[in-house]
Amino acid sequence: MRRLFSLPAKARLLACVVSTVAALALPAQAAPVKTNELTPATPLLAQSYGDASANKFPPAWVWLGAGVVVIIFAPQVFGLVVIGEMEVGIVVKKWAVRSLPPSSLVATKGEAGYQVDTLAPGWHWGYWLWQYNVRKQSVVVIPPGEIGLVVANDGKPIPPERILGKAIPCDNFQDGRKFLAGGGEKGRQIGFLTSGTYRINTALFTVISTANGDKHGMTANKLRLYTVATDTVGIVTTLDGTPIPAGEIAGPVVSSHENFQNGQKFIDSHGQRGLQEQVLLSGSWNLNPWFVQVEQVPMTEIPIGYVGVVVSFVGNSSEDVSGAAFAHSNLVRPGCKGVWDTPLYPGKHPINTRVMKVELVPTTNIVLNWSGRVEQHSYDAKLASLNVRSRDGFAFDLDVAQIIHIAAPDASKVISRVGSMQNLVDHVLQPTVGNCFRNSAQACTVLDFLYARNERQVEAAEYIRAALRAYDVQAIDTLIGEIVPPTALMETQTDRKIAEEQRKTFEVQEVAQAQRQQLVRETALAEIQQDMVKAEQGVKIAQLKADAQIQAATGESEAIRLTGNARADAYRAGVLALGAREYTALQLMEIIGERGVRVVPDVSVSGNNGGLVEGLLGTMLWKQNQHPEA
């Protein structure tokens, strides 16, 4: 600040003015005061005029009047400027011997115009109104959570290869002299203000905050702390720096710039403008929107059952680490350009998806359908039933399911060779499986293919397993689904089969009928067998009875003959002994005696008047005599 007088000289001058005003106001009869009777309240006057010239100290109202005079006339007389505690004084020099250079806006050597130095809070002397104009501006306040952008109105031109002025150590733009002396550049600044209070020369610097952002085309969101949300990454594009070399798509990672919060260190470290490899993680960052643009994308998530093979389009070139046995393509270490040899395992990873691609590879079994069915992974969405042709010239459709597996350590090799899982299906599996079954169908007829389905499936599984092994893919199983032969052929086969089945049915029915007849016959025989047995037994019994009767008759006739002969002999002997008449009477009497023939009646009934009654009574009495117990 400008100092026209030293502090003691100013004090003496002020004391002179006050003494003069007091002398005019004192009464003439005032008694003189001794030199050694100075009061403690008048040390300044005593020191100014000496002890001999000291008079009686004036009353308080005199001092009050003197103060009013000083306040009114001090700016004009002494060039006094008072700056408040929340103000800054911007000095404009109205005239001077030297003029500003044409390219300058702020004077650094006392030229006329805006002065580079500002006035801090307090009293400042020597700024006479006829030479200076001091504007009082409020200090710049950046609220918490916000930033302030700065535009320098004076300084050196920004080089053509840059768009922002370089950062100069100048106490956060509060020391304009250091800014200009240090080579500060005119225009938008790469440096910015964080939250706080600043005394800035608004003639040299324009500060853009949320309070005046609309006037400068800046939205409030761009003037706040930039926040990267949880589970996201910020993909950074820098707007200043050296150009990205030809053949590269992003600037490499540089150090010491505090996550793009210190743009000058980024520039000093030869950071390149454009898309950056480095990303911002979740958090709040002080970022200059003139220097950095950020796009938030979700973190790369690798689900359970998958690994992520990283294909990096940026990074340093690296030697192939795949080994001599893998001669199809190259694998590189993580961080290098190419296919990384180590995949990403399940979890969330902060991957820059603008410079890297992550190919998901299932580590569980994958089912691919050559049919109308599509699995959840959709790798088989373009696959259809195989159309094959048999040896006898018939074309037919064939549904096939192939189960494959890719081990996690082999995932990088698979992607390095074929590029993606979809390419593996389209360029490897589809021709391999299709060619296998077409060759198999050409070797036999349709019917042979149908009848030998299991053998064809085993052959195909072995062929495909060997073919996929060369691609580091494991073929778990090959399954033949529905086979759709030609309709005409199937109709003839169906008719033939129906006729054959009918013939078999008739033969079975004939056999069944014969068996039924035999059953009926056997049943009938079984039913009459008992009668036959009974009849046979009856015949045998009758025969035995007849034989018995014959034997009985023979015996009886023999007995009668013998009896007759014996009786004849006896009769002849009796006749010879008694004579024929006498012997006959004797025999008759023996017969009557043997057989109980009654010669005399038990009851005799006569023909008299009571004959019938008497006869009945006699019979009853006879019966009682025969049965006395009754």
Side-chain angles (χ1 to χ4, degrees):
M1 291 182 294
R2 179 179 176 85
R3 295 289 184 266
L4 194 60
F5 304 101
S6 64
L7 184 58
K10 289 182 180 180
R12 286 195 294 272
L13 180 59
L14 180 59
C16 256
V17 174
V18 173
S19 300
T20 303
V21 174
L24 294 175
L26 286 175
Q29 68 274 15
V33 180
K34 292 182 180 181
T35 326
N36 55 358
E37 293 180 353
L38 291 174
T39 62
T42 59
L44 184 58
L45 291 175
Q47 294 175 9
S48 299
Y49 294 100
D51 295 341
S53 60
N55 298 319
K56 184 178 179 181
F57 197 78
W61 64 269
V62 175
W63 285 102
L64 181 60
V68 172
V69 171
V70 171
I71 293 174
I72 294 176
F73 295 102
Q76 290 81 5
V77 177
F78 305 107
L80 175 62
V81 176
V82 180
I83 305 298
E85 61 180 6
M86 295 301 291
E87 294 177 336
V88 61
I90 309 299
V91 180
V92 180
K93 194 171 186 180
K94 296 181 180 180
W95 60 270
V97 177
R98 300 169 58 182
S99 300
L100 278 173
S103 59
S104 298
L105 178 65
V106 178
T108 60
K109 298 179 180 179
E111 301 93 339
Y114 287 107
Q115 302 300 299
V116 69
D117 298 317
T118 60
L119 301 182
W123 288 23
H124 303 271
W125 306 87
Y127 291 93
W128 295 282
L129 295 179
W130 48 269
Q131 188 177 12
Y132 294 98
N133 180 21
V134 179
R135 293 187 303 163
K136 299 177 182 180
Q137 299 285 344
S138 299
V139 296
V140 176
V141 178
I142 306 299
E146 299 181 5
I147 63 172
L149 303 179
V150 179
V151 178
N153 300 321
D154 200 358
K156 296 180 179 180
I158 297 176
E161 68 274 8
R162 297 278 306 281
I163 64 171
L164 297 176
K166 63 182 179 181
I168 300 296
C170 57
D171 191 18
N172 289 311
F173 304 99
Q174 296 181 106
D175 193 335
R177 185 174 294 277
K178 284 186 178 180
F179 177 82
L180 295 176
E185 297 169 346
K186 183 187 304 185
R188 294 179 175 181
Q189 300 299 301
I190 197 169
F192 55 91
L193 302 176
T194 57
S195 62
T197 302
Y198 303 90
R199 304 184 187 280
I200 293 178
N201 188 340
T202 55
L204 178 58
F205 300 107
T206 300
V207 178
I208 302 174
S209 63
T210 55
N212 62 351
D214 294 339
K215 298 178 181 179
H216 298 275
M218 298 296 294
T219 61
N221 288 334
K222 292 184 178 180
L223 298 171
R224 294 191 176 96
L225 293 181
Y226 189 87
T227 301
V228 179
T230 305
D231 292 337
T232 62
V233 294
I235 297 178
V236 178
T237 300
T238 57
L239 306 178
D240 204 352
T242 59
I244 294 177
E248 300 292 339
I249 64 172
V253 177
V254 295
S255 60
S256 303
H257 55 77
E258 301 174 5
N259 289 305
F260 304 98
Q261 297 180 107
N262 192 327
Q264 188 59 47
K265 287 187 178 180
F266 178 86
I267 299 296
D268 295 340
S269 301
H270 306 288
Q272 299 172 356
R273 77 177 64 179
L275 183 64
Q276 300 297 308
E277 291 183 32
Q278 183 178 349
V279 297
L280 291 178
L281 301 180
S282 61
S284 296
W285 311 96
N286 287 309
L287 301 179
N288 187 338
W290 290 336
F291 172 66
V292 173
Q293 292 180 350
V294 181
E295 176 191 3
Q296 295 191 43
V297 297
M299 280 190 174
T300 300
E301 182 176 359
I302 308 300
I304 295 176
Y306 289 81
V307 294
V309 177
V310 179
V311 181
S312 178
F313 306 116
V314 295
N316 298 324
S317 299
S318 176
E319 63 178 4
D320 181 20
V321 296
S322 60
F326 188 75
H328 306 287
S329 58
N330 296 338
L331 296 176
V332 299
R333 298 293 185 190
C336 299
K337 182 186 295 186
V339 180
W340 292 0
D341 64 336
T342 303
L344 302 178
Y345 287 89
K348 293 183 179 181
H349 304 269
I351 298 297
N352 188 338
T353 55
R354 294 293 181 271
V355 298
M356 298 178 186
K357 182 179 72 170
V358 178
E359 183 68 28
L360 291 179
V361 177
T363 54
T364 56
N365 288 349
I366 307 170
V367 180
L368 301 171
N369 297 300
W370 278 259
S371 64
R373 180 179 178 182
V374 179
E375 297 292 335
Q376 187 176 2
H377 50 64
S378 299
Y379 295 140
D380 54 359
K382 298 179 182 179
L383 301 180
S385 299
L386 296 174
N387 185 264
V388 298
R389 188 173 296 277
S390 63
R391 185 176 61 189
D392 49 359
F394 288 103
F396 60 95
D397 291 335
L398 176 66
D399 290 349
V400 177
Q402 178 65 49
I403 305 174
I404 63 173
H405 174 74
I406 300 175
D410 296 330
S412 297
K413 294 181 180 179
V414 174
I415 298 303
S416 176
R417 184 168 184 177
V418 300
S420 66
M421 284 298 299
Q422 192 62 54
N423 288 346
L424 175 66
V425 175
D426 296 341
H427 302 159
V428 177
L429 281 162
Q430 185 173 8
T432 301
V433 174
N435 183 66
C436 173
F437 283 99
R438 289 186 180 93
N439 292 342
S440 179
Q442 285 284 343
C444 61
T445 64
V446 178
L447 298 180
D448 290 341
F449 195 94
L450 285 170
Y451 298 150
R453 170 196 182 106
N454 186 56
E455 289 78 0
R456 298 291 178 267
Q457 181 171 292
V458 173
E459 293 173 358
E462 293 297 329
Y463 174 84
I464 295 172
R465 184 175 293 110
L468 295 185
R469 192 178 298 118
Y471 293 88
D472 297 291
V473 178
Q474 303 174 24
I476 304 302
D477 203 356
T478 303
L479 305 173
I480 296 177
E482 184 178 1
I483 302 175
V484 185
T487 304
L489 178 62
M490 290 309 298
E491 288 179 353
T492 58
Q493 290 298 314
T494 302
D495 294 342
R496 181 184 303 173
K497 189 65 176 178
I498 291 174
E500 182 179 350
E501 292 300 325
Q502 287 178 345
R503 180 180 61 79
K504 291 181 179 179
T505 301
F506 295 154
E507 290 178 355
V508 172
Q509 290 177 347
E510 182 179 2
V511 172
Q513 188 67 20
Q515 291 178 350
R516 189 183 65 80
Q517 293 176 357
Q518 182 66 25
L519 177 62
V520 171
R521 183 181 300 111
E522 294 296 333
T523 303
L525 290 176
E527 291 177 351
I528 65 174
Q529 187 69 32
Q530 185 176 2
D531 295 337
M532 291 177 65
V533 172
K534 290 181 179 180
E536 290 177 357
Q537 294 299 323
V539 170
K540 291 181 179 180
I541 292 172
Q543 185 67 34
L544 293 174
K545 287 182 177 180
D547 292 341
Q549 289 178 356
I550 291 172
Q551 291 294 331
T554 301
E556 186 177 356
S557 63
E558 183 66 21
I560 293 172
R561 186 180 64 80
L562 293 176
T563 302
N565 289 334
R567 286 180 178 179
D569 291 340
Y571 183 77
R572 280 194 297 271
V575 169
L576 290 177
L578 297 178
R581 184 175 178 179
E582 286 83 358
Y583 187 74
T584 301
L586 180 60
Q587 290 293 322
L588 181 59
M589 292 303 293
E590 288 179 357
I591 293 171
I592 291 172
E594 290 177 359
R595 299 187 179 181
V597 179
R598 293 180 181 275
V599 179
V600 180
D602 294 327
V603 178
S604 177
V605 180
S606 64
N608 294 328
N609 293 332
L612 181 57
V613 175
E614 292 176 355
L616 290 172
L617 292 173
T619 301
M620 293 173 63
L621 292 173
W622 179 78
K623 288 183 177 180
Q624 291 180 356
N625 292 327
Q626 290 293 326
H627 304 283
E629 67 277 359

